[in-house]
Amino acid sequence: MRPLTEKEFKAEAEPVLRQVFTSDNPFAPYPFAKTIPQRRVVFGLEYDLKYTVRPPLIDALVAAASSVGDTGCYFTMLWRMNEEAKGEFNHWYIPFSEISAYKRHDYKMFGSAFNAENVLYSPSGKWGIMTSHEYHGLLGGTQEFMDEVRRRIPNLDEQVYGFLELWQQHKTHNTGAKTDWLPGLLTQIYDEETASEMLRKVDLP
């Protein structure tokens, strides 16, 4: 396990993060880099994707990442702590041989990283997953990476519908819920026609 300072993050990890995500906001309309060919919304309360990725999804990601040549991943908090003031880090490199520390929520190692949006991503820029406080994840990667995830998570492509149903409920019961970012997100994942049809079926945005 290796924590990274902000300077090390800027030099080492941020360039590969930007190969996957151009935004640090899981509610942005166009968060994925254009070079990422496969994109999906990951959703399911059984995964408890609020700020973290749990089994079986984390195991599928590690297996898929290993299949494309990665031996570890970066882990970055999207809401930065002031490391100089608090003595905490915002970024880590996690070898897959030590991924158990992430899976067991090792607060001694990661501090408050599991209490805010964060992202796991490839050191080679081949994949990444961004979590949110609304229990969804944004997953992108190469074709080979995503094929392996699908093999292990067979309902991967259907999870977007549960995500849309949740936001339809937010819209119905919370007049302050913003859904104007959904068309851009779905258009970037699918295409404009498919996105419009998906949103129409659930009366969004």
Side-chain angles (χ1 to χ4, degrees):
M1 198 78 61
R2 180 167 58 89
L4 281 71
T5 65
E6 289 299 318
K7 183 178 180 180
E8 290 170 330
F9 165 72
K10 290 289 186 183
E12 175 184 335
E14 188 173 34
V16 292
L17 173 59
R18 297 299 165 228
Q19 292 178 40
V20 186
F21 295 107
T22 57
S23 171
D24 287 343
N25 182 0
F27 305 97
Y30 300 97
F32 292 100
K34 293 180 179 179
T35 51
I36 290 296
Q38 286 278 308
R39 307 152 186 170
R40 286 295 181 266
V41 173
V42 182
F43 178 83
L45 296 182
E46 71 270 24
Y47 296 136
D48 190 21
L49 275 164
K50 186 173 182 177
Y51 308 143
T52 189
V53 184
R54 298 181 184 275
L57 185 56
I58 185 63
D59 298 322
L61 297 181
V62 169
S66 299
S67 75
V68 297
D70 287 341
T71 57
C73 65
Y74 288 112
F75 178 37
T76 282
M77 291 179 64
L78 300 180
W79 295 91
R80 308 280 198 266
M81 301 292 289
N82 187 329
E83 63 180 276
E84 285 78 19
K86 297 180 177 290
E88 295 189 14
F89 290 91
N90 296 305
H91 320 277
W92 298 263
Y93 175 76
I94 309 174
F96 289 147
S97 61
E98 299 178 48
I99 198 68
S100 60
Y102 174 92
K103 292 169 68 173
R104 68 174 180 267
H105 287 189
D106 189 333
Y107 284 92
K108 184 176 180 181
M109 176 67 67
F110 297 113
S112 57
F114 298 108
N115 298 324
E117 275 88 357
N118 56 68
V119 58
L120 291 170
Y121 52 106
S122 165
S124 56
K126 294 178 180 178
W127 62 273
I129 183 168
M130 186 183 300
T131 66
S132 86
H133 66 271
E134 288 288 353
Y135 298 96
H136 79 276
L138 301 179
L139 176 65
T142 64
Q143 183 74 53
E144 182 182 357
F145 172 86
M146 294 294 279
D147 284 348
E148 182 62 22
V149 175
R150 284 190 183 90
R151 192 176 74 80
R152 294 170 180 271
I153 308 290
N155 72 335
L156 180 70
D157 295 324
E158 286 71 53
Q159 292 181 19
V160 64
Y161 297 107
F163 164 75
L164 291 175
E165 288 172 7
L166 175 67
W167 280 95
Q168 197 280 332
Q169 293 172 23
H170 284 336
K171 180 185 176 184
T172 300
H173 301 294
N174 180 2
T175 56
K178 293 183 178 180
T179 57
D180 56 347
W181 53 281
L182 288 169
L185 174 65
L186 294 179
T187 296
Q188 195 181 40
I189 293 174
Y190 304 100
D191 56 61
E192 188 171 355
E193 182 178 353
T194 302
S196 296
E197 180 65 15
M198 293 173 76
L199 291 167
R200 185 192 63 79
K201 287 183 177 179
V202 292
D203 190 28
L204 283 170

